[in-house]
């Protein structure tokens, strides 16, 4: 008997679907917002920095009153009983400069700490120079907390923190893509181990190798590890809670606003009040302060930046774990086998499932994205199905 020919079914006509506007408009607008915020923050803060309440220790009550009346709100005069007390406050970063009378009647002496940043030091020097010129007095300036030899502009701490923040951000992006392959605890381990390795490597390069950051190695590595963990867990947490907009939001929060307000390129005393507040609250600003305190100011105010970094890292990790546990999906239901067509006069076969030990199984584990992926957990048995025969083939088999 000649076998009937197989006639392929015609493909349905292909109609070009018009993509909705939001498919291309959303990434366009997000990228435009990021570039606008980046330029506005970095260029805007350097556009016209104005000193505001810069803390300066002044010895002598008469000189303190004159300086306060002449300079107004530009500086915050801190009266000191002696030059030794004032310089001790400068070395502990309680003030950024010390002003006192020189050896002669018409002489003024200004002590500064360039480790506070060139922008802040320059601003204070200009203000006091203008006062001395108006009072017809000679001003001598000395730097008692100078920068390291290989960090002439005081930007090494900023660039180290920027690089560590960027690496943590990039790792979190990769972990988001691995959510369907790695269990939650494995992703947490990956980010934690990377944070520690990033801190050790960055501290070694900036410290002992290049000698640009004179902070003790292990405390510096600890600060940088906390920064990497804060950046990684914060980015992953935002991606989990907000969805596709989480990565752009992390870009704005950490790489744009956080780094621009860190106080390295423009001192915090020269920023608007809102920028100063953000600088103290965001991880990059906290890291830059901690690095400077460890390097030049005897770790006098390092606890507050450390607390900020720990809160960002630990808080983001807790929120991420809570969201993942709360959204754990139910066990998947195995699909039903399709019925097999049978000939007239035959008994309908009874479907059954193989229960031998040789039956292939697939294990599934929960993820934070709301679907199941291979792992340890519920067992699913693949269904065995027989494709139905063509009606013409069935009819012709009875001829």
């Amino acid at each position: 008997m000649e076998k009937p020919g197989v006639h392929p079914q015609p493909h349905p006509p292909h109609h070009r679907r018009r993509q909705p506007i939001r498919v291309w408009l959303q990434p366009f607008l997000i990228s435009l917002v990021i570039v606008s915020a980046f330029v506005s923050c970095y260029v805007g803060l350097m556009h016209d920095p104005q000193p505001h309440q810069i803390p300066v220790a002044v010895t002598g009550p008469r000189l303190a009153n004159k300086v306060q009346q002449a300079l107004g709100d530009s500086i915050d005069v801190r009266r000191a009983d002696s030059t030794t007390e004032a310089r001790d406050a400068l070395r502990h970063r309680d003030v950024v400069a010390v002003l006192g009378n020189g050896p002669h009647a018409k002489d003024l002496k200004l002590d500064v700490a360039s480790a506070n940043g060139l922008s802040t030091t320059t601003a204070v020097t200009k203000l006091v120079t203008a006062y001395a010129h108006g009072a017809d007095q000679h001003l001598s300036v000395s730097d008692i907390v100078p920068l390291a030899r290989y960090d002439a502009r005081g930007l090494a701490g900023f660039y180290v923190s920027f690089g560590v923040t960027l690496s943590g951000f990039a790792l979190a992006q990769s972990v988001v893509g691995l959510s369907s392959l790695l269990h939650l605890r494995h992703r947490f381990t990956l980010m934690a181990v990377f944070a520690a390795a990033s801190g050790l490597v960055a501290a070694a390069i900036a410290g002992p190798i290049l000698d640009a950051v004179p902070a003790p190695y292990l405390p510096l590595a600890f600060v940088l590890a906390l920064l990497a963990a804060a950046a990684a867990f914060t980015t992953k947490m935002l991606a989990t809670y907000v969805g596709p907009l989480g990565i752009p939001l992390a870009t704005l929060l950490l790489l744009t606003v956080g780094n621009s307000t860190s106080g390295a390129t423009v001192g915090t005393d020269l920023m608007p009040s809102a920028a100063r507040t953000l600088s103290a609250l965001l991880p990059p600003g906290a890291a830059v302060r901690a690095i400077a305190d460890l390097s030049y100011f005897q770790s006098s105010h390092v606890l507050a930046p450390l607390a900020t970094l720990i809160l960002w890292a630990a808080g983001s990790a807790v929120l991420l774990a809570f969201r993942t546990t709360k959204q754990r999906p139910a066990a998947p239901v195995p699909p039903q086998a399709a019925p097999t067509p049978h000939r007239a006069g035959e008994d309908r076969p009874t479907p059954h499932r193989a229960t031998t030990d040789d039956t292939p199984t697939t294990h599934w584990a929960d993820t934070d994205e709301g679907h199941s992926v291979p792992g340890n957990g519920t067992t699913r048995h693949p269904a065995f199905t027989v494709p139905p025969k063509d009606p013409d083939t069935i009819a012709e088999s009875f001829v």
Side-chain angles (χ1 to χ4, degrees):
M1 182 184 298
E2 184 179 356
K3 294 183 180 180
V6 179
H7 303 284
Q9 295 182 353
H11 294 284
H14 175 71
H15 298 284
R16 185 181 298 273
R17 294 179 58 185
R18 193 170 188 178
Q19 298 294 340
I21 296 179
R22 65 180 179 86
V23 171
W24 57 265
L25 186 60
Q26 178 174 320
F28 176 85
L29 292 178
I30 290 175
S31 301
L32 191 62
V33 169
I34 290 176
V35 69
S36 301
F38 193 93
V39 174
S40 298
C41 289
Y42 278 93
V43 180
L45 290 176
M46 294 185 294
H47 179 64
D48 187 25
Q50 295 295 331
H52 179 71
Q53 294 293 314
I54 300 179
V56 177
V58 181
T59 57
R62 183 177 179 182
L63 178 61
N65 292 332
K66 289 182 178 180
V67 171
Q68 186 67 76
Q69 293 177 359
L71 300 181
D73 293 336
S74 297
I75 67 172
D76 178 18
V77 173
R78 309 280 181 87
R79 298 186 181 184
D81 295 332
S82 64
T83 303
T84 302
E85 177 187 347
R87 287 181 176 176
D88 186 64
L90 179 60
R91 292 188 179 95
H92 287 82
R93 214 181 192 184
D94 295 323
V95 296
V96 299
V98 174
L99 179 62
N101 292 307
H104 303 287
K106 285 192 174 184
D107 287 348
L108 292 176
K109 183 171 179 58
L110 178 67
D111 296 324
V112 298
S114 57
N116 281 307
L118 293 183
S119 60
T120 301
T121 304
T122 302
V124 171
T125 303
K126 287 183 177 180
L127 287 173
V128 177
T129 300
Y131 167 78
H133 180 75
D136 194 22
Q137 291 180 294
H138 178 266
L139 178 67
S140 60
V141 181
S142 60
D143 188 359
I144 66 172
V145 187
L147 289 165
R149 176 185 176 185
Y150 297 106
D151 186 24
R153 298 189 60 81
L155 297 177
F158 166 74
Y159 286 120
V160 171
S161 65
F162 186 93
V164 171
T165 304
L166 183 61
S167 67
F169 172 81
L171 176 73
Q173 282 187 299
S174 301
V175 171
V176 170
L178 295 175
S179 296
S180 60
L181 301 176
L182 296 179
H183 194 276
L184 176 65
R185 65 176 178 271
H186 298 148
R187 282 173 273 151
F188 268 52
T189 302
L190 174 61
M191 289 189 287
V193 171
F194 171 81
S198 177
L200 291 171
V201 171
I205 295 174
I209 296 177
L210 298 180
D211 200 21
V213 178
Y217 174 68
L218 288 180
L220 176 62
F222 180 64
V223 169
L224 295 178
L226 287 178
L227 176 60
F233 280 101
T234 299
T235 303
K236 183 65 174 70
M237 182 268 295
L238 290 175
T240 300
Y241 274 81
V242 184
L245 294 178
I247 299 299
L249 184 58
T251 304
L252 289 173
L253 185 67
L254 298 173
L255 300 180
T256 303
V257 178
N259 281 307
S260 63
T261 60
S262 62
T265 55
V266 177
T268 54
D269 296 308
L270 308 179
M271 295 181 183
S273 57
R276 290 198 302 272
T277 301
L278 290 174
S279 178
L281 296 178
L282 295 179
V288 170
R289 282 174 171 78
I291 292 172
D293 281 332
L294 290 172
S295 300
Y296 300 106
F297 299 104
Q298 307 172 31
S299 305
S300 301
H301 301 282
V302 76
L303 293 181
L306 283 179
T308 301
L309 293 172
I310 292 173
L311 285 176
W312 275 96
S316 298
V318 170
L319 290 175
L320 182 58
F322 172 77
R323 178 61 175 253
T324 304
T325 304
K326 186 178 180 181
Q327 287 191 341
R328 179 170 295 172
V333 180
Q336 298 294 331
T340 304
H342 64 283
R343 298 181 180 181
E346 294 182 352
D347 294 333
R348 184 182 299 273
T350 302
H352 68 281
R353 294 172 59 189
T355 58
T356 63
D357 295 336
D358 296 333
T359 303
T361 59
T362 305
H363 300 281
W364 300 79
D366 298 330
T367 65
D368 56 340
E369 275 69 27
H371 57 275
S372 297
V373 294
N376 294 325
T378 306
T379 301
R380 295 180 59 184
H381 297 273
F384 177 76
T385 60
V386 178
K389 295 182 180 180
D390 186 74
D392 294 337
T393 307
I394 297 175
E396 193 170 347
S397 64
F398 289 96
V399 180

